[in-house]
Amino acid sequence: MIIYASGVKLFYRKGVSRLIVNFLKHELPPFYSTHPWKVTEEKFSLEHNLLSETIFSLSNGYIGIRGSFEEGLFYYPGRSIRGTYINGFYESVPIPHAERGYGYAMNTQTMLNVTDSGIIELFIEGERFTLDSGTIIYFKRVLNMKEGCLNREIIWRSPAGREVMIKIKRLASFMHRHLIAYYYRVQPLNFSGEITICSSGDGGVDNHTHEEYDPRYSASLGDLRMRVRGIEVKERGAVITQYTVRSKLEMVCAVENCINGGKILAAETKRPNDKKATTTFRLKVYQGEDVILEKYTAYYTSRDYPAEKLPGLAWEMVTNAREMGMDDLSAGQEKCCRRYWENLGLKIEGDPVVEQGLRFNLFHLLQASGSRGQTGIGAKGLTSEGYDGHYFWDMEIYMLPFFSAVNPGQARSLLKYRYSILDYARKRARELSHERGALYPWRTIAGEEGSSYFPASTAQYHINAAIAYAIFKYIDITGDYSLMLEFGAEILFETARLWEDLGTYVSRKNNQFGYNEVTGPDEYSALVNNNCYTNLMAQWHLRYAAETALLLKKKHPEDYRRLAEKIGLSEGEIKLWQQAAEAMLIPYDEAMLIHPQDEGFLDKQVWDFASTPAEKYPLLLHYHPLVIYRFQVCKQPDVILAHLLLGDRFSIEQKRRDYNYYEPITTHDSSLSPSIFSIVASEVGYVEDAYGYFHISARLDLDNLMKGTHNGVHMANMAGSWLCLVSGFAGMRISNGRPCFHPYLPEKLSGYSFRIQSGNSLLQISVNIEGVTYELVKGESISFAHCGNKIILSKGEKVTRGLREDLQDS
Amino acid sequence: MIIYASGVKLFYRKGVSRLIVNFLKHELPPFYSTHPWKVTEEKFSLEHNLLSETIFSLSNGYIGIRGSFEEGLFYYPGRSIRGTYINGFYESVPIPHAERGYGYAMNTQTMLNVTDSGIIELFIEGERFTLDSGTIIYFKRVLNMKEGCLNREIIWRSPAGREVMIKIKRLASFMHRHLIAYYYRVQPLNFSGEITICSSGDGGVDNHTHEEYDPRYSASLGDLRMRVRGIEVKERGAVITQYTVRSKLEMVCAVENCINGGKILAAETKRPNDKKATTTFRLKVYQGEDVILEKYTAYYTSRDYPAEKLPGLAWEMVTNAREMGMDDLSAGQEKCCRRYWENLGLKIEGDPVVEQGLRFNLFHLLQASGSRGQTGIGAKGLTSEGYDGHYFWDMEIYMLPFFSAVNPGQARSLLKYRYSILDYARKRARELSHERGALYPWRTIAGEEGSSYFPASTAQYHINAAIAYAIFKYIDITGDYSLMLEFGAEILFETARLWEDLGTYVSRKNNQFGYNEVTGPDEYSALVNNNCYTNLMAQWHLRYAAETALLLKKKHPEDYRRLAEKIGLSEGEIKLWQQAAEAMLIPYDEAMLIHPQDEGFLDKQVWDFASTPAEKYPLLLHYHPLVIYRFQVCKQPDVILAHLLLGDRFSIEQKRRDYNYYEPITTHDSSLSPSIFSIVASEVGYVEDAYGYFHISARLDLDNLMKGTHNGVHMANMAGSWLCLVSGFAGMRISNGRPCFHPYLPEKLSGYSFRIQSGNSLLQISVNIEGVTYELVKGESISFAHCGNKIILSKGEKVTRGLREDLQDS
């Protein structure tokens, strides 16, 4: 069977029926034009505007703005979600439980939509510029991924016939995390006359409520919308202070405007209401001559600085930015991007559509990476309020492997963030009646569990293992054991304790150790016994914790003693971890020779896919959980994910059998699904599946394949798409600190290359039809493996080898 | 081990540890004094007032009022919940789901607290009478179960030294379901002078919110509190009209006052605000002479009559009542009670405490029985807003057996009610993706599912079987097959269809038929596979439906054809029912020779009871569901209940083994628990358990053993306590329409007797140390069995036999 995505034919093996059903629906051809470094909207589309606002979001990991137009919200009701978000800045919102149970999460933290400082309104001889009036003669919106900025060019004829060229550029500064800058250039094309530019900051914002019926969205804030404490009016700008009601946080937004060109007839800043400040320039303009507004806005919050310092800091930032000017800021921005892309060394030859998609994903990962140990990366980054801006387990399982391999500092900060909320995880474990250990929240911002439906959240204990696994992977590729000593071991031991306390030895099953009433990654089953993924990861986690404890004791006795004392860890307890790990029950079906997803899974009926029409996907929006839970149907990989994470434990034949079983019953209703299937398909040699899923993963947001990108990008999948290339096609695994490759070239491609950092070395891997070339780009020397053979490269050296040959025709 | 309840020593076999832990806490001696026909509060207690308001609640199945004082709410903040409830009269309240899922119940129906017409305030020379001022010289509050009324007598000395005797009587009329009547008599004891009586009806009511942390309580109504449409002031009364916001219902309360004695100085009716009407009598009174206020209030709603007729009907009712007068009404009330008690023929000799408790329970069952096919009986009757006034499955499993045996008309009406909401059940089945059949709501008033937490509600599919089972039991004892023809078969078939559609043949288990992701009666496990009770009941249900279909087809072909056509029932479908029933998987553990509660149950660890302190019960208020679900611990009988309902299927030895296993791991955190354990203990010969649990069941509300009676009585347990006697001690079962007895005399008792109706016959069963005497009190003849031997009695005949002898010392 054949499907089309982005107008390109995709080939699939027969089994991929679910995905076909789902993805056949999306529109062809792609909405944004293809280019290696740009995402371009060639034509204004109100219909696609919500999607474009996400696609053209800018952020720097600290602050994010959606790609909404400067003209303001008013003219596009229902077609625009204006959003300005600060990572980790939240309101604490009570969770309305109709029936409350003991230990339920009582509050959720909601990332706030803060002061909208992106408003620039233009009046031409009294006629307001909007895209739904007059005539659009020319329109182009470009996300420039090399320069790190968003550009828009319009030639517009007003209803009265006046023509203007407008060029707008904006950036969320990578060098100055608090800063957003706008460059707004107007040129009268066929007239001279008067124009007015009104530049505002508006604190009269709320989070967007989602009346649509979709449990994945953010909720209304109602009485808890952010309040404006006050506005200080400056000559050509303002400082707006907001505060939150329950979380008791403060935020300041400073706005400064500079005008150049034309003749200023009047300029003043006023407050049209008590939440908004507007600087108005009345100008005499001349045909063919530019008027340029530079606008600088800065955000500071009391999560980083004392509240009383915020106005000063913010104002200082915007006045400094004005000094630097847009040219300098742009140059700095481009430099940051250049460094990033150089470091990634990404190239894909033969499939420009996929290359663009992957690069777009990597650009959003750059935009999301701003952790300094106090924040994580939300499921949607800073591109929307979806999932309330919460951090989930996918940060560790999907994003951390990427950052560990290309930006270890960012990976370390994300793990440091987890350490910063360890006390909350301890508290949560107590609420769940565990006398020892820590249970990380399924979704959170500042550490408190924010999930309301525990069967698909708190029951997903596997988040503990995800964090432990990310620590392991980070150390394995970076060699930075200081993280373990500094805080990693404490996380590792506290989370391991929970596994020991949670499980039970089952006398009726040869005293094997197992877990009842847990939920694995696949949320189309819940509260099951001995979820295969959970048991495998718990076993790995307990072993790793025990090994680490013994190693620390031997090699870092003082660190160990201090930590053991702090958390009351005894040797007896470490033995318990080992015993539990040894006794772990791993469900396996001897007749079918596959791993059941959980103990009862294979007793259920297989979902009737044949009778499920395309419009009934995703299933969670069309079937009650009781219906879904009753069948063999997976939202996303579960056993298959374990095969990737703990690959050494399973033979290729085993992985292939499990893949053959689970792939046809997986709906991929989660964006976490395609990339994992692609990687494992590569490993087991199903090259058509591997490429098909990779294509989907690479284009998932750009082509809006999940139909939900208007509500934010899918960060985990973005990292996953890179893993499809690196861990999938190039077969990279890390084994005892050494990268190992097992590369092949997908039929569709003529070549690809990428770089990874291992320790202090930067290794470039380039694959084409001839073979693979490894080159040490940075560092003194590197040791790695190619198809099982060890290679050592010295500085500047490179070596070429043949590709793997064990691929299966599927 | 020995425990005390009601100041009486109870003996238990060793296993009953949970119950001991729970019930050791309650206060001794009993708060209300013991009397065969009365419940008396000898001393005013503000501390116990919330409890007493429940205990002294009056109702007639249609309307209910809590036992709050006429003096009004104001003086007892937090110590009084004034409530007036109309069965089936509700507001539709949106359920706030923090994370909504497809098919979740979106609204719940909340029984409304309506106009408070029980307010009578008394001023003695300007001094307001309240029980927390002045001096209480004498106080007695008596629920008279023979007369069906509540009496209060007070001698009170005002702060200024004036003494009055006040005697108050109230009743909720059994003869006139819309009517409540008050008789309020005042006698000055040591003065002549002026008194003022203010009698009000107040529509300014709301439901009571429960800030306490307990998921079992009712929720706040907020903006949805009932509104007052208008008040029509009459000379000495008023007509108050209220309406609901979302459910669009209307209610009218009429109030009429008559004064006798003293000299009226002034009398007028006014509206102190726009929600309240007050009739004020200013009177000259004389030492030793009575002044009597008779007050009649009537409630009518648009659920029964067109809205425009309500004011006329209500006013007519109160004026008619005034004509009849309190004496006539009281006589009629007593007559109703006499008939009820005669019909029950209940006597217990040797344990007056238990006799009082049981009679109190039976009185509340009388008070709850007012169904005319449009309403059921709520979990708390009409004694509180607890559980939102919802009807649950326990109506069928606990209450219906009682009503079927003593008041078949009421039983029939309750089943008729279920038929009236069959269309909602069909709709609900569709929401759950069942193309055929009906799924009854777990909790409802008017038919819509009102549960918010589906794992312990919608997943309890066994409610379908409960309703089918009640139909079966009703017909079995009454012989009234017309119910089956009229509507029973339609319910039976539609609910059976769901079992067929819900289940699945498991190829890995010899193609046995089973149910995944269901919850049994025991809510300390949820979403399990093959819950033993569910599978047993489904099997029974499918068989009964198939047998009934075949029987109807043969004996009532025309009825059958009509029905089969209406619901599209084919013979093929009936075969599917039979096949599924035959193939039903019934979990059984061959090693332990017991029935596991579900497939995974025995793999779980047994709850650590030894480390669970008494104050941690009920567990649901102290442990997260994920903790409780993970262990072997039962809130209430599950397998054991199946042993009672489907007793023929299991040997005594099997029942005893299962009892021995489950009894020690059951916490009885549900009031549905003790009675079932008592009955099954009787059957298997554990006489001390049987009596202990019976005592608890009989006294559960009077002694506030669950600590929650302030929030309403436990209706199901009340019926259960009668079953302890009848099905437990006397061992009554119905087999093919014939009652069978297997009686014994508990050691604590010197005798007991009761009556049951079977067909047109009324049979009295009297047990004492000598044996059992059966007497046909009414009817031509009756056939029944005693210890397996058939006996036929003719009119007026009686026969005496020996008691069963197979009791075990426990």
Side-chain angles (χ1 to χ4, degrees), chain A residues 95-106 210-217 219 428 431-434 443 450-455 457-459 461 501-509 515-518 525-529 589 591-592 596 598-605 616 619-627 629-631, chain B residues 95-106 210-216 219 428 431-434 443 450-455 457-461 501-509 515-518 525-529 589 591-592 596 598-605 616 619-627 629-631:
Chain A
I95 297 176
H97 294 290
E99 284 181 49
R100 221 190 320 178
Y102 179 86
Y104 280 20
M106 294 313 296
H210 296 275
E211 285 306 316
E212 301 163 77
Y213 170 59
D214 190 332
R216 298 168 299 182
Y217 287 172
R428 185 64 182 150
E431 287 167 5
L432 274 287
S433 304
H434 301 287
R443 46 191 298 176
S451 302
S452 56
Y453 177 61
F454 75 82
S457 58
T458 306
Y461 297 97
D501 197 51
L502 181 72
T504 179
Y505 289 92
V506 188
S507 59
R508 296 155 50 87
K509 294 180 181 166
Y515 298 99
N516 293 322
E517 305 295 334
V518 303
S525 290
L527 304 186
V528 301
N529 298 337
D589 190 273
M592 300 172 73
D598 58 68
E599 279 189 333
F601 190 78
L602 297 177
D603 293 341
K604 298 178 180 177
Q605 224 175 326
K616 291 277 198 173
L619 300 183
L620 77 151
L621 296 190
H622 301 93
Y623 298 91
H624 193 285
L626 278 172
V627 180
Y629 292 173
R630 207 160 62 230
F631 291 91
Chain B
I95 297 176
H97 294 291
E99 284 182 48
R100 221 191 318 178
Y102 180 87
Y104 280 21
M106 294 313 296
H210 296 275
E211 285 307 316
E212 301 162 76
Y213 170 58
D214 189 332
R216 298 169 298 183
R428 185 64 181 150
E431 287 167 4
L432 274 287
S433 303
H434 301 286
R443 47 192 299 176
S451 302
S452 57
Y453 178 61
F454 75 82
S457 58
T458 305
Q460 294 191 261
Y461 296 97
D501 197 50
L502 181 71
T504 179
Y505 290 93
V506 189
S507 59
R508 296 153 52 87
K509 294 180 182 165
Y515 297 99
N516 293 321
E517 305 295 335
V518 303
S525 289
L527 304 185
V528 300
N529 297 337
D589 189 274
M592 300 173 73
D598 58 68
E599 279 190 333
F601 191 78
L602 296 178
D603 293 340
K604 298 179 181 177
Q605 224 175 326
K616 291 277 197 173
L619 300 183
L620 77 151
L621 295 190
H622 300 92
Y623 297 91
H624 193 285
L626 278 173
V627 180
Y629 291 174
R630 207 160 62 229
F631 291 92

Side-chain angles (χ1 to χ4, degrees), chain A residues 607-622:
Chain A
W607 184 269
D608 183 2
F609 292 105
S611 307
T612 308
E615 61 273 18
K616 291 277 198 173
Y617 294 90
L619 300 183
L620 77 151
L621 296 190
H622 301 93

